[in-house]
Amino acid sequence: MTLSAAEFGARQHAGGKALPEGRMVIDPESGGDLLEVSMGPHHPSTHGVFRMDVALDGERIVRLKPVFGYLHRNHEKLGEEHSYLASMPYTDRLDYICSLTNNWAYALAVEKLVGQEVPERAEYLRLIVGELTRMQNHILSVGFLIQDMGASGTPLMYGFREREKILDLFEALTGSRMMCNYMRFGGCRVDATPEWLDGVRKVVAGMPAFADEFERLLCTNEILMARTQGVGVLRPELAVSAGVTGPALRASGVNYDIRKVDRYGIYDRFDFKVPLGEHGDVYDRFMIRLLELRQSIRILEQALKDVPGGPVMDPKAKIRNFRPKPGEAYGRIEAPKGELGFYLISDGTGNPYRYRVRPPSFVNLTVLEDMCLGYSVADVVLILGSIDIVLGEVDR
């Protein structure tokens, strides 16, 4: 059974209703037959409930349409119905692997809105948990990418082993391993003990050996190089015009890191480099995360040398009857997956008039078709994995 070019185009804009599996369509360009296949919505390589409608010429991708919305939770509308503080635990559920950086971006936006200061010690704690979050995200991202390639679970298990050490630290500090709800407007919810900081130093001290082990295991593996080099190339011009950020942008050679651009928090006090790729392929996106892991270790080593004393909450910070003056603010950070921003409009009440999230996973996903055209079905799984999405912030 076939479709005309016009019927195929109408199908592509019909709100994502999938064709029956394996249905044939006519390629409008060549007049040949294409096979349309729906990958998902429960495919394990999609890192959540996500679907890709792909049109195939043999094994070659000629069209790809991302379809999402299965996990929509009405996050932004809930933010307009709840108080500013009540939205903080909801941010944990965006990128549920990186709840602490979600907290930080939202806290930064509210602090901009009201002109709130943050104590010195709280800035250090925010940076420490933020970089620990980046490390565990990149470790998992690399492990999942290798598993998507069809390799054994060894790299992923190595990654989980190291991530457990970081999650144990999060639990000791915040009471939760993943949904930490730690930041507050004007500081942090609880202080860190000297024993906790010593535990961080111990974990960070062991990370270079793990990074060496990971790189020896993976970076020069012939199969990995053959499957990833020259695959899923993202040109820097397209990356910039599409608003791609984070490791995916820097892998294409674009030197843009909000930690360097905005110097939010206390990042201007520390010496670290921004790794850049040259080709913008899957291999570069893989390598950028390993290199950023080492830079996070470098930042943490500097920050842990002299964490100042003092309060972790500004005593002037309002908790009850928090009603910002009418105005608007946008706060953003360099989250592990890219630019995470919150745009807030206050009308003087206890709830935001407008609450909008700028999630890196959603924006980075918009170039998926451009990165997949001309490659095989097996390559698509790797290309998607190299973007490193979490459906919690794609479907808000």
Side-chain angles (χ1 to χ4, degrees), residues 332-360:
R332 64 177 188 168
I333 68 165
E334 184 65 40
K337 294 174 174 63
E339 178 180 336
L340 173 62
F342 287 81
Y343 175 64
L344 302 170
I345 298 179
S346 169
D347 59 359
T349 65
N351 303 348
Y353 176 73
R354 284 290 180 267
Y355 176 108
R356 174 70 176 170
V357 184
R358 192 272 184 207

mmCIF file of all heavy atoms in Angstrom, residues 332-360:
data_model
loop_
_atom_site.group_PDB
_atom_site.id
_atom_site.type_symbol
_atom_site.label_atom_id
_atom_site.label_comp_id
_atom_site.label_asym_id
_atom_site.label_seq_id
_atom_site.Cartn_x
_atom_site.Cartn_y
_atom_site.Cartn_z
ATOM 1 N N ARG A 332 19.718 31.746 34.314
ATOM 2 C CA ARG A 332 20.179 30.578 33.563
ATOM 3 C C ARG A 332 21.506 30.091 34.109
ATOM 4 O O ARG A 332 22.270 30.857 34.707
ATOM 5 C CB ARG A 332 20.329 30.912 32.084
ATOM 6 C CG ARG A 332 21.396 31.963 31.796
ATOM 7 C CD ARG A 332 21.551 32.196 30.314
ATOM 8 N NE ARG A 332 22.702 33.075 30.023
ATOM 9 C CZ ARG A 332 23.195 33.255 28.814
ATOM 10 N NH1 ARG A 332 22.682 32.625 27.767
ATOM 11 N NH2 ARG A 332 24.236 34.056 28.625
ATOM 12 N N ILE A 333 21.778 28.814 33.898
ATOM 13 C CA ILE A 333 23.052 28.223 34.292
ATOM 14 C C ILE A 333 23.519 27.287 33.182
ATOM 15 O O ILE A 333 22.762 26.954 32.264
ATOM 16 C CB ILE A 333 22.944 27.446 35.624
ATOM 17 C CG1 ILE A 333 22.073 26.190 35.435
ATOM 18 C CG2 ILE A 333 22.418 28.313 36.741
ATOM 19 C CD1 ILE A 333 22.186 25.188 36.553
ATOM 20 N N GLU A 334 24.770 26.867 33.294
ATOM 21 C CA GLU A 334 25.310 25.838 32.406
ATOM 22 C C GLU A 334 25.033 24.492 33.068
ATOM 23 O O GLU A 334 25.853 23.961 33.826
ATOM 24 C CB GLU A 334 26.809 26.036 32.181
ATOM 25 C CG GLU A 334 27.420 25.068 31.199
ATOM 26 C CD GLU A 334 26.895 25.222 29.773
ATOM 27 O OE1 GLU A 334 26.691 26.360 29.321
ATOM 28 O OE2 GLU A 334 26.705 24.178 29.122
ATOM 29 N N ALA A 335 23.833 23.961 32.826
ATOM 30 C CA ALA A 335 23.476 22.641 33.344
ATOM 31 C C ALA A 335 24.281 21.583 32.591
ATOM 32 O O ALA A 335 24.847 21.863 31.534
ATOM 33 C CB ALA A 335 21.977 22.401 33.191
ATOM 34 N N PRO A 336 24.350 20.363 33.103
ATOM 35 C CA PRO A 336 25.148 19.330 32.427
ATOM 36 C C PRO A 336 24.762 19.096 30.970
ATOM 37 O O PRO A 336 25.614 18.740 30.160
ATOM 38 C CB PRO A 336 24.877 18.088 33.282
ATOM 39 C CG PRO A 336 24.606 18.628 34.642
ATOM 40 C CD PRO A 336 23.867 19.905 34.422
ATOM 41 N N LYS A 337 23.497 19.313 30.611
ATOM 42 C CA LYS A 337 23.059 19.063 29.240
ATOM 43 C C LYS A 337 23.014 20.327 28.384
ATOM 44 O O LYS A 337 22.745 20.246 27.183
ATOM 45 C CB LYS A 337 21.690 18.382 29.260
ATOM 46 C CG LYS A 337 21.726 16.987 29.876
ATOM 47 C CD LYS A 337 20.338 16.396 30.014
ATOM 48 C CE LYS A 337 20.403 14.948 30.496
ATOM 49 N NZ LYS A 337 21.003 14.803 31.832
ATOM 50 N N GLY A 338 23.250 21.492 28.997
ATOM 51 C CA GLY A 338 23.227 22.739 28.245
ATOM 52 C C GLY A 338 22.580 23.849 29.052
ATOM 53 O O GLY A 338 22.479 23.775 30.285
ATOM 54 N N GLU A 339 22.127 24.889 28.351
ATOM 55 C CA GLU A 339 21.550 26.044 29.038
ATOM 56 C C GLU A 339 20.181 25.707 29.612
ATOM 57 O O GLU A 339 19.233 25.417 28.886
ATOM 58 C CB GLU A 339 21.420 27.234 28.084
ATOM 59 C CG GLU A 339 20.781 28.452 28.746
ATOM 60 C CD GLU A 339 20.636 29.644 27.823
ATOM 61 O OE1 GLU A 339 21.390 29.737 26.834
ATOM 62 O OE2 GLU A 339 19.757 30.495 28.089
ATOM 63 N N LEU A 340 20.073 25.781 30.935
ATOM 64 C CA LEU A 340 18.807 25.617 31.634
ATOM 65 C C LEU A 340 18.417 26.972 32.204
ATOM 66 O O LEU A 340 19.148 27.541 33.014
ATOM 67 C CB LEU A 340 18.925 24.589 32.753
ATOM 68 C CG LEU A 340 17.705 24.447 33.669
ATOM 69 C CD1 LEU A 340 16.484 23.985 32.890
ATOM 70 C CD2 LEU A 340 17.999 23.495 34.825
ATOM 71 N N GLY A 341 17.286 27.496 31.764
ATOM 72 C CA GLY A 341 16.862 28.814 32.207
ATOM 73 C C GLY A 341 15.422 28.821 32.675
ATOM 74 O O GLY A 341 14.595 28.007 32.236
ATOM 75 N N PHE A 342 15.113 29.753 33.571
ATOM 76 C CA PHE A 342 13.748 29.964 34.056
ATOM 77 C C PHE A 342 13.392 31.429 33.833
ATOM 78 O O PHE A 342 14.141 32.327 34.248
ATOM 79 C CB PHE A 342 13.637 29.626 35.545
ATOM 80 C CG PHE A 342 13.669 28.162 35.867
ATOM 81 C CD1 PHE A 342 14.875 27.485 35.936
ATOM 82 C CD2 PHE A 342 12.496 27.455 36.093
ATOM 83 C CE1 PHE A 342 14.923 26.132 36.226
ATOM 84 C CE2 PHE A 342 12.541 26.097 36.377
ATOM 85 C CZ PHE A 342 13.750 25.435 36.440
ATOM 86 N N TYR A 343 12.270 31.653 33.179
ATOM 87 C CA TYR A 343 11.769 33.001 32.940
ATOM 88 C C TYR A 343 10.536 33.209 33.806
ATOM 89 O O TYR A 343 9.567 32.441 33.730
ATOM 90 C CB TYR A 343 11.425 33.189 31.465
ATOM 91 C CG TYR A 343 10.777 34.516 31.151
ATOM 92 C CD1 TYR A 343 11.466 35.714 31.347
ATOM 93 C CD2 TYR A 343 9.474 34.579 30.667
ATOM 94 C CE1 TYR A 343 10.875 36.930 31.061
ATOM 95 C CE2 TYR A 343 8.877 35.787 30.377
ATOM 96 C CZ TYR A 343 9.580 36.961 30.575
ATOM 97 O OH TYR A 343 8.991 38.170 30.297
ATOM 98 N N LEU A 344 10.577 34.233 34.652
ATOM 99 C CA LEU A 344 9.505 34.485 35.604
ATOM 100 C C LEU A 344 8.970 35.897 35.440
ATOM 101 O O LEU A 344 9.747 36.844 35.244
ATOM 102 C CB LEU A 344 10.007 34.309 37.044
ATOM 103 C CG LEU A 344 10.610 32.949 37.409
ATOM 104 C CD1 LEU A 344 11.268 33.019 38.783
ATOM 105 C CD2 LEU A 344 9.540 31.864 37.384
ATOM 106 N N ILE A 345 7.659 36.043 35.522
ATOM 107 C CA ILE A 345 7.010 37.359 35.579
ATOM 108 C C ILE A 345 6.229 37.419 36.884
ATOM 109 O O ILE A 345 5.430 36.528 37.177
ATOM 110 C CB ILE A 345 6.063 37.595 34.392
ATOM 111 C CG1 ILE A 345 6.830 37.568 33.074
ATOM 112 C CG2 ILE A 345 5.344 38.935 34.550
ATOM 113 C CD1 ILE A 345 5.952 37.780 31.850
ATOM 114 N N SER A 346 6.479 38.454 37.662
ATOM 115 C CA SER A 346 5.771 38.655 38.925
ATOM 116 C C SER A 346 4.727 39.756 38.752
ATOM 117 O O SER A 346 4.994 40.789 38.137
ATOM 118 C CB SER A 346 6.753 39.049 40.032
ATOM 119 O OG SER A 346 6.060 39.488 41.189
ATOM 120 N N ASP A 347 3.547 39.522 39.322
ATOM 121 C CA ASP A 347 2.519 40.565 39.355
ATOM 122 C C ASP A 347 2.284 41.065 40.771
ATOM 123 O O ASP A 347 1.264 41.713 41.048
ATOM 124 C CB ASP A 347 1.207 40.045 38.753
ATOM 125 C CG ASP A 347 0.667 38.817 39.484
ATOM 126 O OD1 ASP A 347 1.324 38.364 40.450
ATOM 127 O OD2 ASP A 347 -0.408 38.312 39.090
ATOM 128 N N GLY A 348 3.227 40.765 41.666
ATOM 129 C CA GLY A 348 3.120 41.239 43.043
ATOM 130 C C GLY A 348 2.404 40.286 43.972
ATOM 131 O O GLY A 348 2.319 40.544 45.177
ATOM 132 N N THR A 349 1.919 39.149 43.455
ATOM 133 C CA THR A 349 1.250 38.164 44.307
ATOM 134 C C THR A 349 2.254 37.099 44.746
ATOM 135 O O THR A 349 3.434 37.146 44.411
ATOM 136 C CB THR A 349 0.071 37.512 43.563
ATOM 137 O OG1 THR A 349 0.584 36.751 42.457
ATOM 138 C CG2 THR A 349 -0.895 38.569 43.047
ATOM 139 N N GLY A 350 1.747 36.102 45.465
ATOM 140 C CA GLY A 350 2.621 35.049 45.961
ATOM 141 C C GLY A 350 2.947 33.978 44.944
ATOM 142 O O GLY A 350 3.784 33.109 45.215
ATOM 143 N N ASN A 351 2.319 34.025 43.761
ATOM 144 C CA ASN A 351 2.585 33.055 42.686
ATOM 145 C C ASN A 351 3.141 33.791 41.477
ATOM 146 O O ASN A 351 2.809 34.964 41.237
ATOM 147 C CB ASN A 351 1.309 32.335 42.250
ATOM 148 C CG ASN A 351 0.609 31.631 43.383
ATOM 149 O OD1 ASN A 351 1.163 31.473 44.462
ATOM 150 N ND2 ASN A 351 -0.616 31.217 43.137
ATOM 151 N N PRO A 352 3.978 33.149 40.681
ATOM 152 C CA PRO A 352 4.415 33.781 39.429
ATOM 153 C C PRO A 352 3.225 33.978 38.485
ATOM 154 O O PRO A 352 2.367 33.103 38.359
ATOM 155 C CB PRO A 352 5.411 32.779 38.834
ATOM 156 C CG PRO A 352 5.801 31.884 39.964
ATOM 157 C CD PRO A 352 4.620 31.834 40.880
ATOM 158 N N TYR A 353 3.196 35.132 37.816
ATOM 159 C CA TYR A 353 2.179 35.356 36.787
ATOM 160 C C TYR A 353 2.490 34.510 35.561
ATOM 161 O O TYR A 353 1.585 33.980 34.921
ATOM 162 C CB TYR A 353 2.133 36.840 36.426
ATOM 163 C CG TYR A 353 1.179 37.167 35.299
ATOM 164 C CD1 TYR A 353 -0.203 37.129 35.506
ATOM 165 C CD2 TYR A 353 1.650 37.496 34.035
ATOM 166 C CE1 TYR A 353 -1.087 37.415 34.477
ATOM 167 C CE2 TYR A 353 0.778 37.773 32.994
ATOM 168 C CZ TYR A 353 -0.594 37.741 33.224
ATOM 169 O OH TYR A 353 -1.460 38.015 32.195
ATOM 170 N N ARG A 354 3.775 34.412 35.224
ATOM 171 C CA ARG A 354 4.235 33.526 34.161
ATOM 172 C C ARG A 354 5.468 32.777 34.647
ATOM 173 O O ARG A 354 6.348 33.344 35.297
ATOM 174 C CB ARG A 354 4.572 34.297 32.878
ATOM 175 C CG ARG A 354 3.372 34.736 32.089
ATOM 176 C CD ARG A 354 2.666 33.555 31.436
ATOM 177 N NE ARG A 354 1.504 33.979 30.664
ATOM 178 C CZ ARG A 354 0.262 34.032 31.144
ATOM 179 N NH1 ARG A 354 0.043 33.712 32.416
ATOM 180 N NH2 ARG A 354 -0.735 34.409 30.373
ATOM 181 N N TYR A 355 5.515 31.500 34.299
ATOM 182 C CA TYR A 355 6.602 30.615 34.722
ATOM 183 C C TYR A 355 6.964 29.789 33.498
ATOM 184 O O TYR A 355 6.152 29.009 33.007
ATOM 185 C CB TYR A 355 6.098 29.737 35.871
ATOM 186 C CG TYR A 355 7.048 28.677 36.396
ATOM 187 C CD1 TYR A 355 7.651 28.822 37.640
ATOM 188 C CD2 TYR A 355 7.299 27.505 35.684
ATOM 189 C CE1 TYR A 355 8.485 27.838 38.154
ATOM 190 C CE2 TYR A 355 8.133 26.523 36.180
ATOM 191 C CZ TYR A 355 8.723 26.692 37.417
ATOM 192 O OH TYR A 355 9.534 25.720 37.930
ATOM 193 N N ARG A 356 8.168 29.975 33.001
ATOM 194 C CA ARG A 356 8.557 29.324 31.751
ATOM 195 C C ARG A 356 9.946 28.722 31.903
ATOM 196 O O ARG A 356 10.852 29.372 32.436
ATOM 197 C CB ARG A 356 8.555 30.345 30.617
ATOM 198 C CG ARG A 356 9.070 29.843 29.285
ATOM 199 C CD ARG A 356 8.134 28.864 28.648
ATOM 200 N NE ARG A 356 8.587 28.452 27.320
ATOM 201 C CZ ARG A 356 8.056 27.470 26.618
ATOM 202 N NH1 ARG A 356 7.031 26.799 27.104
ATOM 203 N NH2 ARG A 356 8.517 27.151 25.434
ATOM 204 N N VAL A 357 10.105 27.483 31.434
ATOM 205 C CA VAL A 357 11.386 26.787 31.517
ATOM 206 C C VAL A 357 12.020 26.730 30.126
ATOM 207 O O VAL A 357 11.328 26.463 29.133
ATOM 208 C CB VAL A 357 11.215 25.358 32.066
ATOM 209 C CG1 VAL A 357 12.573 24.682 32.237
ATOM 210 C CG2 VAL A 357 10.452 25.374 33.375
ATOM 211 N N ARG A 358 13.317 26.988 30.075
ATOM 212 C CA ARG A 358 14.082 26.803 28.833
ATOM 213 C C ARG A 358 14.947 25.560 29.033
ATOM 214 O O ARG A 358 16.055 25.628 29.573
ATOM 215 C CB ARG A 358 14.943 28.039 28.572
ATOM 216 C CG ARG A 358 15.568 28.103 27.159
ATOM 217 C CD ARG A 358 16.893 27.406 27.122
ATOM 218 N NE ARG A 358 17.528 27.536 25.805
ATOM 219 C CZ ARG A 358 18.391 26.678 25.298
ATOM 220 N NH1 ARG A 358 18.736 25.599 25.989
ATOM 221 N NH2 ARG A 358 18.929 26.860 24.124
ATOM 222 N N PRO A 359 14.458 24.372 28.623
ATOM 223 C CA PRO A 359 15.184 23.130 28.920
ATOM 224 C C PRO A 359 16.161 22.770 27.803
ATOM 225 O O PRO A 359 15.794 22.787 26.621
ATOM 226 C CB PRO A 359 14.067 22.093 29.013
ATOM 227 C CG PRO A 359 13.000 22.620 28.092
ATOM 228 C CD PRO A 359 13.157 24.118 27.989
ATOM 229 N N PRO A 360 17.397 22.403 28.122
ATOM 230 C CA PRO A 360 18.362 22.052 27.072
ATOM 231 C C PRO A 360 17.986 20.807 26.288
ATOM 232 O O PRO A 360 18.208 20.738 25.082
ATOM 233 C CB PRO A 360 19.675 21.861 27.839
ATOM 234 C CG PRO A 360 19.270 21.601 29.253
ATOM 235 C CD PRO A 360 18.008 22.375 29.466
#
